[in-house]
Amino acid sequence: MSQTKPFFIPQKEFDLINQMNEELIDEIIGQSVDIYKVNVERTEDNMYGESTAKYYDIGFRVNCLIEYAEPEIVQDEFGADTNSSIEMFFQRENLSSGSLNFYPETGDIVDWNDYYWEINGTTEPQLFAGHPNFKHNIVATAHRSRLSSLQIEERPR
């Protein structure tokens, strides 16, 4: 059986592409979200690891690309309800550098487009040139959350 060698990409090329993507997202597109991380010291859980009240740290702004799914109206015996979701595409290098040092996690709250969204999960689907040392982005999916279920003080509009 023949052996295949991985495609070689120099670190300088990877750094150049990261720099161009960061400039594109931060300076040209300009989409951002405010993230609220769960404060695990203040949030008390029961013996099952569940909590009735979650407390969040002060939010911070993160630049990313956002894909908004069309809202879906669900009709049940209690009336109509609107469900919606978003996908956020974060540049991995941008999150881990500087003072941010942030990784999106399940349960984090996102403030975007005058709504609150709760992150369902995260993946790292894109490797630059397929090389495991060149992880490029992080994708987080989130669903719209009701303000009444969050212990967050509503921001002025």
Side-chain angles (χ1 to χ4, degrees), residues 53-94:
K54 293 180 185 174
Y55 295 95
Y56 297 91
D57 292 330
I58 295 172
F60 55 92
R61 185 152 291 169
V62 178
N63 293 328
C64 64
L65 297 177
I66 301 166
E67 184 177 328
Y68 178 64
E70 185 176 337
E72 172 186 320
I73 298 175
V74 178
Q75 186 76 28
D76 60 8
E77 64 268 5
F78 300 111
D81 194 14
T82 305
N83 292 335
S84 189
S85 64
I86 59 173
E87 278 189 317
M88 296 162 287
F89 300 87
F90 299 100
Q91 187 180 4
R92 190 181 213 306
E93 192 72 24
N94 196 13

Side-chain angles (χ1 to χ4, degrees), residues 30-48:
Q31 288 182 324
S32 63
V33 294
D34 293 335
I35 304 280
Y36 298 90
K37 303 277 296 166
V38 175
N39 186 324
V40 291
E41 286 87 30
R42 290 186 55 209
T43 301
E44 294 182 23
D45 57 349
N46 59 17
M47 61 189 227
Y48 302 110

Side-chain angles (χ1 to χ4, degrees), residues 11-45:
Q11 183 69 39
K12 287 174 90 174
E13 286 185 29
F14 181 67
D15 293 341
L16 175 66
I17 289 179
N18 266 336
Q19 185 180 4
M20 290 189 314
N21 282 338
E22 182 176 354
E23 187 174 330
L24 178 70
I25 292 170
D26 294 350
E27 305 298 328
I28 296 171
I29 297 174
Q31 288 182 324
S32 63
V33 294
D34 293 335
I35 304 280
Y36 298 90
K37 303 277 296 166
V38 175
N39 186 324
V40 291
E41 286 87 30
R42 290 186 55 209
T43 301
E44 294 182 23
D45 57 349

Side-chain angles (χ1 to χ4, degrees), residues 109-120:
I109 298 298
V110 175
D111 181 3
W112 177 74
N113 195 24
D114 295 332
Y115 292 107
Y116 289 103
W117 310 79
E118 184 174 353
I119 294 180
N120 301 332

